[in-house]
Amino acid sequence: MKARVKEMEDEAAKLRQMQAEVEKNMTPEEDKEAVDSRSVYVGNVDYGATPEELQAHFQSCGTINRVTILCDKYTGHPKGYAYVEFAEPAFVDAAVALNESLFRGRLLKVNAKRTNVPGFSQRGRGRGGFRGGFRGGMNPYYGHSPMHGYRGRGRYA
């Protein structure tokens, strides 16, 4: 029994070592910016389009590393936009020149892909936030309570 436990511990150590190697070889955070600098956002993509068709459409711009068509995680249906990653950042300008080109009967919207800034979201800003903002405050009956001077439509108004 002790030999079996020792064997399992050795196997777990090997798995941890392999996991560490895989994590080390994965793309670090600064590489995401490099990938984003050579990628384009493609909007208004036909829902029946395939990555191969998009690759053929953008082939004239330069060497393509990857075409990603995003899908809804619950239904699996395409969302209507895609990302095209090129081998060189110089190819992005040629791809942006294809903005409003016709693809499967639709005008594509092509922009350089922007890099997301961590921690930058719309939550808690602007109108209607939690306990504040315009008409989103503590009183759910804005304008319809004695606190705001509303008397109703009765004959005493």
Side-chain angles (χ1 to χ4, degrees):
M1 185 69 155
K2 288 183 182 181
R4 179 70 178 139
V5 170
K6 174 74 172 143
E7 186 180 315
M8 288 174 32
E9 287 175 351
D10 291 343
E11 193 173 325
K14 287 180 185 176
L15 285 172
R16 280 193 294 269
Q17 183 182 8
M18 288 170 51
Q19 182 69 26
E21 289 177 16
V22 168
E23 287 177 1
K24 187 169 56 171
N25 292 335
M26 289 182 72
T27 57
E29 196 66 36
E30 61 268 2
D31 272 348
K32 288 184 180 179
E33 291 181 16
V35 169
D36 288 350
S37 71
R38 61 179 190 256
S39 300
V40 292
Y41 162 85
V42 183
N44 200 24
V45 177
D46 186 53
Y47 295 113
T50 63
E52 291 80 16
E53 291 174 330
L54 273 173
Q55 184 173 358
H57 186 76
F58 285 98
Q59 195 65 46
S60 63
C61 302
T63 308
I64 296 173
N65 287 348
R66 177 182 3 184
V67 176
T68 307
I69 297 177
L70 276 81
C71 296
D72 185 274
K73 66 180 177 181
Y74 299 112
T75 64
H77 298 298
K79 289 186 176 182
Y81 61 94
Y83 293 103
V84 179
E85 178 190 333
F86 292 98
E88 297 292 327
F91 300 147
V92 171
D93 293 331
V96 172
L98 288 177
N99 187 27
E100 300 204 4
S101 62
L102 199 62
F103 175 73
R104 294 190 83 176
R106 301 178 115 190
L107 293 176
L108 294 179
K109 303 211 182 316
V110 183
N111 296 320
K113 185 173 188 260
R114 63 178 180 82
T115 303
N116 281 341
V117 179
F120 187 78
S121 67
Q122 294 298 317
R123 188 173 193 179
R125 294 188 183 94
R127 298 179 2 167
F130 179 69
R131 289 189 179 204
F134 187 70
R135 291 190 185 211
M138 297 282 285
N139 187 1
Y141 302 104
Y142 182 81
H144 299 282
S145 72
M147 205 164 89
H148 290 286
Y150 181 76
R151 293 188 180 161
R153 294 184 180 214
R155 47 188 225 159
Y156 300 110

